Amino acid sequence: MWVVLGGRQLLLLSLLPCRPSRVLRFRIFAPARLPIPVMAEKRPFERLPKDVSPLNYGLCLKPDLIDFTFEGKLEAAVQVKHSTNQIVMNCADIDIITASYAPEGGDEIQATGFNYQNEDEKVTLSFPSVLRSGSGTLKIDFVGELNDKMKGFYRSKYITPSGEVRYAAVTQFEATDARRAFPCWDEPAIKATFDVMLIVPKDRVALSNMNVVERKPYPDDESLVEVKFAHSPIMSTYLVAFVVGEYDFVEARTSDGVLIRVYTPVGKAEQGKFALEVATKTLPFYKDYFNVPYPLPKIDLIAIADFAAGAMENWGLVTYRETALLIDPKNSCSSSRQWVALVVGHELAHQWFGNLVTMEWWTHLWLNEGFASWIEYLCVDHCFPEYDIWTQFVSADYTRAQELDALNNSHPIEVSVGHPSEVDEIFDAISYSKGASVIRMLHDYIGDEDFRKGMNLYLTKFQEKNAATEDLWNCLQKASGKPIAAVMSSWTQQMGFPLIYVEDVQEEGRRVLKLSQKKFCANGQDEGPAFPQWMVPISICTSEDPTCAKVKALMDKPEITVVLKGTKPEHWVKLNPGTVGFYRTQYSSSMLESLLPGIRDLTLQPVDRLGLQNDLFSLARAGIINTVEVLKVMEAFVNEPNYTVWSDLSCNLGILSTLLSHTEFQEEIQLFIKDIFSPIGQKLGWDPKPGEGHLDALLRALVLGKLGKAGYQPMLEEARRRFKDHVEGKQPLLADLRSAVYVTVLKHGDAATLDTMLKLHKQADMQEEKNRIERVLGAIPAPDLIQKVLTFALSEEVRPQDTVSVIGGVAGASKQGRKAAWKFVKDNWEELHNRYQGGFLISRLIKLSVEGFASEKIAAEVKSFFDSHPAPSAERTVLQCCENILLNEAWLKRDAEAMHEYLLNRK
């Protein structure tokens, strides 16, 4: 599943000529000891008994798209392993009408009682006599609701080309919601085959995991048809899917005959062509990479109007948000194309890694998601090398994971999970982004050839079965001969990551490095009782060849010494070339001083310029160095040409800007941003030049948006002019410039600007354009207009899953917006919680609404509010937010005065 994590909002920046940076003064800082909130005790939970297990589900569903109900018939071939007089299954929001069991060759036994354990989402079917060991058939007739919660079997609203509101019936079962569509053994390790039939209106498209084998009139109603699908392979319940609605499609076949279709809203088949192109390249890429064929005859990719996640990897029927699948050649921006490519790559990787071989329990969710989040980049790099996607990985995933994992309220990659409410909590940046980062580090440590051998061994050994983390380590260890389990357990079974401190001594013709490791903590000091250690694959390069590691070593103890032969005094030395190892680096003053010219003269690789800046920013955030020193380093990026380096720099300046919104000198940081970004802004200009590519388009959008928000006058005037021409139909804005122009005119706009933007939103036919507008509406400065935007967030005009980004846009735009958004969330909590309960969108809403605050009083208020308004699936998120608020307060107390002085005097 591709979850919209949000994390580091990709803001932007540009650069200014600067003086040589002073040596960074490292200091020992003892921040105020922050209270560490503690997770509540876990709810008691037991997995399903093993007395009875399914072999095959014969499932018939008949959805009613008018009354939003469905009827179901289950005929399951089951194995009774131990004699019993009851069958326990998962069941939620379903009413069972009748149930019976017939042993093979025996008489049917009617169930005499259905005991629903709603809290545990289980039902116990009681029988008057003992069901003896052996095989038999379990029959259940049931009814359910097509809910509006974007989980289980639910309804999704769409508007036909003629303007009529209609509903599709669609599914989202991961993690634990197949039980809302049919009674089942809803655990990933309890696999079975499926024979599905859907009874649907004859003018609707009906899809499931397998291909259609028969479509015939329904005998009881001539307006309906029975659609029967082929027998599925053995699979987990969370991967089953059905869709009933109105769609167009485009199709192609891979070189080995797999039929790929991309289903779009009616009249928008053209918008499925880009995803189809990506999928037809991706499926063969994975087949070759794993050396295992795709096991189904077809795969469908379908755009769903109301959809909580980014996408879901249902085997053979992958569901997507419209914005994660549809690309309009004229109206889609470059970043949307890139997102579609990544999400398609992610979901198709799951067809092998997750679907063919499935994690044994949700504790190993990271195996699915971390792996897919890594290999999606490998795949996009193969399909679109011009995206420079691995550099973007460092900014989008690696640094985001480190931000979260430095908190006391982080969690290990492998986390014990029981009750269903706990599962949604771990669909976060640790499972996805840290998981992907440690797999990237592992791939680098093993080498591609042995990694592929190990993956093939794993997939062939466990196909159609379940596996745990250790199984993957064993296969990779066998293929590579390296101590994979010993190295990787330190990364997956304990939370956090190391800070490597390095100092050097020149001894004649060689450089001697002393490395020491300790846990990196967001507050600058490890408050845990133990001193965790990691087995860290260390790489070191020098200015002789910045692209290649001169030395590699495995750091398996707290301190090691590394000798670089032939390294001269004038050569700089850098740890972690490529920013592949999952750790932060703190250099001695002299080592850092020698590296800084490599930023200005670009001799350091882009990913290493990014990594160096990001490490320094995090050290300042943790109080290990002064933030002023980082501001000086930021000024060294005057000649920077790389989009991703700018993106990361922009993101960090955005964090500083939010922090300093709590002070009286917010204007000074905006002036700093303008000075940093205006040279690159002037160089790029507004209009694409011949020969420019994907990354130039991303950079221009980033830089112009950053300057516009900061109030850079030439940018503001030109944005207003272009916006006026766009609205009047004289000259439509290029898709790549729209976000930048929209946010600029709103940030410095009035009621008329907001009304114009809401009108554009209403007129937009593409969900991408609607989302683009929704995300920036919060930039409007006037308090009454902020309220208008918040009210709009909960209106019918905004799709349920997008309300979160409207509220988040308000909270992230200004100090007033932050206060208004938090009050709005509290005032409308019942409606918001009811809409998103049990899903990860509630966590995202809370994070976006409160994380920008910086006072102990607000942290206490947030904790108190959620103590009295529990959101079980977001419990950890609440604790992380409170911790971040306290960290922000400590950061301000520590460095605000010094930053103010520097910003005033730097000219």
Side-chain angles (χ1 to χ4, degrees):
M1 185 155 67
W2 214 99
V3 174
V4 188
L5 293 166
R8 294 172 66 79
Q9 289 135 350
L10 293 179
L11 309 159
L12 305 66
L13 281 97
S14 163
L15 263 220
L16 206 235
C18 56
R19 301 173 303 286
S21 272
R22 300 278 302 280
V23 175
L24 294 205
R25 292 185 301 279
F26 290 85
R27 57 182 183 174
I28 305 303
F29 175 76
R33 193 166 287 272
L34 302 177
I36 305 172
V38 179
M39 293 281 286
E41 279 186 40
K42 295 197 170 196
R43 295 160 77 171
F45 172 77
E46 281 182 20
R47 284 166 70 166
L48 292 170
K50 295 188 165 72
D51 301 343
V52 182
S53 60
L55 304 170
N56 171 265
Y57 291 86
L59 183 62
C60 177
L61 291 171
K62 184 182 167 206
D64 184 327
L65 300 175
I66 307 299
D67 292 336
F68 307 134
T69 57
F70 62 89
E71 297 170 19
K73 286 182 182 295
L74 174 66
E75 198 164 308
V78 301
Q79 187 76 31
V80 178
K81 295 175 182 172
H82 308 289
S83 296
T84 178
N85 64 353
Q86 58 183 34
I87 295 176
V88 184
M89 304 169 75
N90 290 115
C91 180
D93 304 331
I94 280 175
D95 289 323
I96 294 173
I97 298 163
T98 61
S100 67
Y101 175 78
E104 203 171 285
D107 294 334
E108 192 169 14
I109 308 166
Q110 294 293 328
T112 51
F114 318 131
N115 178 23
Y116 297 96
Q117 295 107 58
N118 292 335
E119 186 76 3
D120 290 331
E121 301 181 347
K122 291 174 184 172
V123 65
T124 302
L125 309 178
S126 301
F127 294 88
S129 55
V130 171
L131 314 182
R132 308 219 168 270
S133 300
S135 50
T137 302
L138 174 68
K139 293 182 181 177
I140 302 178
D141 288 1
F142 58 94
V143 292
E145 180 197 7
L146 288 175
N147 70 68
D148 60 354
K149 303 286 189 290
M150 296 186 286
K151 63 182 181 180
F153 199 13
Y154 72 93
R155 62 186 188 263
S156 171
K157 186 168 85 170
Y158 63 98
I159 297 170
T160 66
S162 63
E164 186 188 342
V165 172
R166 288 186 187 166
Y167 290 85
V170 303
T171 55
Q172 170 59 42
F173 291 163
E174 190 179 22
T176 56
D177 291 313
R179 62 193 67 175
R180 294 176 201 282
F182 56 100
C184 57
W185 288 263
D186 199 11
E187 295 182 1
I190 307 179
K191 289 187 166 187
T193 56
F194 287 80
D195 288 284
V196 173
M197 180 190 286
L198 298 175
I199 299 168
V200 303
K202 63 184 180 184
D203 62 348
R204 296 296 195 267
V205 171
L207 301 170
S208 187
N209 306 82
M210 300 302 292
N211 48 302
V212 175
V213 290
E214 187 179 25
R215 187 179 172 106
K216 63 181 185 184
Y218 180 57
D220 299 348
D221 186 340
E222 62 181 20
S223 70
L224 301 178
V225 289
E226 291 179 352
V227 184
K228 188 178 178 188
F229 298 90
H231 182 70
S232 83
I234 294 170
M235 59 193 282
S236 302
T237 48
Y238 80 89
L239 294 166
V240 176
F242 334 109
V243 175
V244 180
E246 295 173 280
Y247 300 94
D248 285 344
F249 67 84
V250 287
E251 68 178 20
R253 281 190 188 271
T254 62
S255 49
D256 49 351
V258 178
L259 178 65
I260 302 176
R261 283 183 173 173
V262 176
Y263 284 85
T264 73
V266 173
K268 296 185 178 179
E270 173 86 358
Q271 294 179 20
K273 286 183 175 174
F274 179 73
L276 184 66
E277 176 201 334
V278 175
T280 47
K281 289 179 181 174
T282 298
L283 224 53
F285 171 77
Y286 288 143
K287 178 197 164 188
D288 293 344
Y289 194 84
F290 298 131
N291 197 20
V292 174
Y294 173 71
L296 306 188
K298 64 92 177 176
I299 187 161
D300 299 324
L301 292 71
I302 184 165
I304 305 294
D306 295 327
F307 197 77
M312 175 62 209
E313 68 267 20
N314 318 298
W315 215 356
L317 176 57
V318 186
T319 45
Y320 294 80
R321 277 191 186 199
E322 286 186 9
T323 50
L325 190 69
L326 304 181
I327 291 295
D328 181 328
K330 287 184 184 151
N331 293 302
S332 289
C333 60
S334 301
S335 58
S336 293
R337 286 172 187 275
Q338 182 175 296
W339 190 41
V340 168
L342 284 167
V343 181
V344 169
H346 181 102
E347 303 309 333
L348 296 194
H350 278 312
Q351 305 304 303
W352 285 264
F353 210 94
N355 300 8
L356 183 63
V357 178
T358 311
M359 75 242 146
E360 194 279 330
W361 184 246
W362 299 107
T363 295
H364 306 282
L365 170 76
W366 88 275
L367 261 189
N368 271 18
E369 299 304 348
F371 184 84
S373 299
W374 169 75
I375 206 167
E376 72 185 57
Y377 283 87
L378 194 75
C379 167
V380 168
D381 191 48
H382 165 78
C383 296
F384 303 99
E386 69 276 15
Y387 285 9
D388 183 29
I389 204 73
W390 280 118
T391 305
Q392 295 194 54
F393 173 89
V394 174
S395 184
D397 281 87
Y398 173 100
T399 55
R400 174 170 61 193
Q402 289 189 336
E403 278 178 21
L404 184 55
D405 206 28
L407 297 177
N408 287 317
N409 285 292
S410 181
H411 64 83
I413 282 178
E414 291 183 75
V415 61
S416 175
V417 170
H419 195 275
S421 68
E422 295 166 16
V423 179
D424 281 306
E425 271 205 296
I426 58 170
F427 283 88
D428 66 0
I430 300 297
S431 295
Y432 282 72
S433 298
K434 183 180 180 183
S437 298
V438 299
I439 285 174
R440 176 170 168 255
M441 176 171 69
L442 174 64
H443 173 265
D444 184 70
Y445 174 59
I446 294 176
D448 189 62
E449 189 181 336
D450 286 345
F451 188 86
R452 289 172 73 164
K453 278 185 202 162
M455 292 309 308
N456 173 263
L457 181 61
Y458 174 78
L459 289 168
T460 49
K461 183 176 180 181
F462 294 100
Q463 63 184 329
E464 297 193 337
K465 300 191 185 82
N466 295 80
T469 302
E470 298 71 39
D471 298 315
L472 178 60
W473 297 162
N474 291 339
C475 291
L476 291 169
Q477 194 155 310
K478 195 168 182 182
S480 68
K482 291 187 174 180
I484 306 303
V487 172
M488 294 308 291
S489 62
S490 72
W491 295 97
T492 63
Q493 291 175 6
Q494 61 184 4
M495 76 179 199
F497 59 92
L499 171 65
I500 308 289
Y501 180 76
V502 55
E503 53 191 355
D504 67 342
V505 177
Q506 185 72 29
E507 293 180 359
E508 295 173 356
R510 62 183 200 162
R511 192 79 58 91
V512 180
L513 305 183
K514 285 188 178 177
L515 280 65
S516 59
Q517 62 160 302
K518 66 173 185 176
K519 184 176 186 290
F520 179 78
C521 296
N523 68 352
Q525 51 184 247
D526 184 8
E527 295 175 343
F531 295 96
Q533 297 291 317
W534 287 262
M535 291 183 77
V536 190
I538 296 283
S539 298
I540 303 168
C541 72
T542 71
S543 47
E544 294 166 276
D545 185 355
T547 64
C548 182
K550 186 179 174 88
V551 172
K552 289 193 171 190
L554 185 64
M555 187 175 186
D556 55 1
K557 44 185 181 277
E559 296 181 355
I560 61 168
T561 299
V562 178
V563 176
L564 303 180
K565 292 175 181 171
T567 300
K568 296 174 183 171
E570 63 271 21
H571 292 151
W572 52 251
V573 172
K574 183 175 187 309
L575 260 66
N576 208 8
T579 316
V580 174
F582 196 74
Y583 55 88
R584 293 210 179 274
T585 307
Q586 182 182 357
Y587 294 96
S588 68
S589 295
S590 60
M591 287 187 77
L592 182 64
E593 187 72 4
S594 69
L595 280 167
L596 293 179
I599 294 175
R600 217 171 288 112
D601 63 21
L602 309 180
T603 50
L604 276 168
Q605 295 295 292
V607 71
D608 291 323
R609 301 194 295 270
L610 186 162
L612 189 60
Q613 178 267 137
N614 198 282
D615 276 351
L616 290 171
F617 187 79
S618 294
L619 290 170
R621 213 173 175 180
I624 295 167
I625 63 172
N626 193 301
T627 311
V628 167
E629 306 299 348
V630 183
L631 293 174
K632 291 174 186 173
V633 171
M634 286 175 167
E635 290 181 306
F637 283 82
V638 61
N639 300 316
E640 184 55 58
N642 184 279
Y643 158 71
T644 313
V645 178
W646 275 117
S647 175
D648 199 74
L649 194 57
S650 166
C651 192
N652 289 338
L653 276 169
I655 290 166
L656 274 184
S657 186
T658 299
L659 184 76
L660 297 181
S661 69
H662 299 283
T663 70
E664 300 302 312
F665 54 94
Q666 231 263 330
E667 280 309 303
E668 280 84 347
I669 191 71
Q670 299 311 314
L671 182 61
F672 182 79
I673 288 169
K674 285 186 269 192
D675 285 350
I676 295 276
F677 274 89
S678 52
I680 185 82
Q682 287 161 8
K683 184 178 174 186
L684 286 166
W686 278 85
D687 299 307
K689 300 173 182 69
E692 284 189 347
H694 175 77
L695 293 167
D696 299 295
L698 294 182
L699 180 58
R700 178 174 287 106
L702 176 78
V703 170
L704 295 181
K706 196 73 172 179
L707 286 169
K709 277 199 291 188
Y712 182 59
Q713 201 59 34
M715 163 69 196
L716 181 53
E717 288 165 10
E718 183 63 8
R720 282 175 171 156
R721 185 186 72 75
R722 289 182 181 239
F723 182 67
K724 185 169 181 284
D725 286 353
H726 176 68
V727 171
E728 291 172 358
K730 290 180 190 169
Q731 181 66 52
L733 276 166
L734 293 174
D736 282 320
L737 293 178
R738 286 184 198 171
S739 284
V741 169
Y742 292 169
V743 77
T744 300
V745 296
L746 277 164
K747 182 79 176 170
H748 310 280
D750 54 17
T753 319
L754 181 60
D755 287 345
T756 304
M757 204 61 87
L758 291 173
K759 192 173 166 189
L760 284 180
H761 181 276
K762 199 170 186 68
Q763 290 167 351
D765 181 45
M766 248 198 111
Q767 197 56 32
E768 179 188 324
E769 176 72 354
K770 285 187 185 288
N771 285 176
R772 195 167 15 237
I773 293 167
E774 288 160 0
R775 284 196 297 267
V776 297
L777 288 173
I780 200 80
D784 59 322
L785 300 180
I786 287 172
Q787 286 306 320
K788 185 173 179 177
V789 171
L790 288 167
T791 305
F792 172 76
L794 275 178
S795 72
E796 286 289 312
E797 296 291 319
V798 178
R799 286 187 178 166
Q801 70 266 25
D802 298 323
T803 295
V804 174
S805 52
V806 181
I807 297 170
V810 171
S814 64
K815 188 176 181 179
Q816 309 93 285
R818 195 155 45 248
K819 287 179 180 172
W822 171 226
K823 184 177 187 304
F824 185 80
V825 167
K826 288 185 292 182
D827 292 347
N828 294 276
W829 178 251
E830 194 174 332
E831 182 177 349
L832 290 163
H833 185 247
N834 187 42
R835 183 184 284 194
Y836 304 126
Q837 61 183 320
F840 55 84
L841 279 174
I842 201 81
S843 293
R844 182 159 158 67
L845 173 70
I846 293 166
K847 180 179 167 63
L848 291 173
S849 301
V850 305
E851 209 168 46
F853 286 112
S855 83
E856 191 175 346
K857 185 183 170 191
I858 298 279
E861 184 185 305
V862 170
K863 186 177 182 309
S864 168
F865 180 81
F866 290 108
D867 282 346
S868 57
H869 301 79
S873 67
E875 190 179 318
R876 194 188 305 273
T877 298
V878 171
L879 297 178
Q880 289 165 349
C881 288
C882 292
E883 185 178 349
N884 268 319
I885 292 168
L886 295 172
L887 287 165
N888 287 342
E889 182 181 52
W891 192 6
L892 270 179
K893 281 180 181 171
R894 202 171 55 234
D895 282 358
E897 201 175 307
M899 280 193 275
H900 189 197
E901 191 180 332
Y902 177 75
L903 291 170
L904 283 175
N905 297 333
R906 68 192 182 88
K907 292 292 184 185

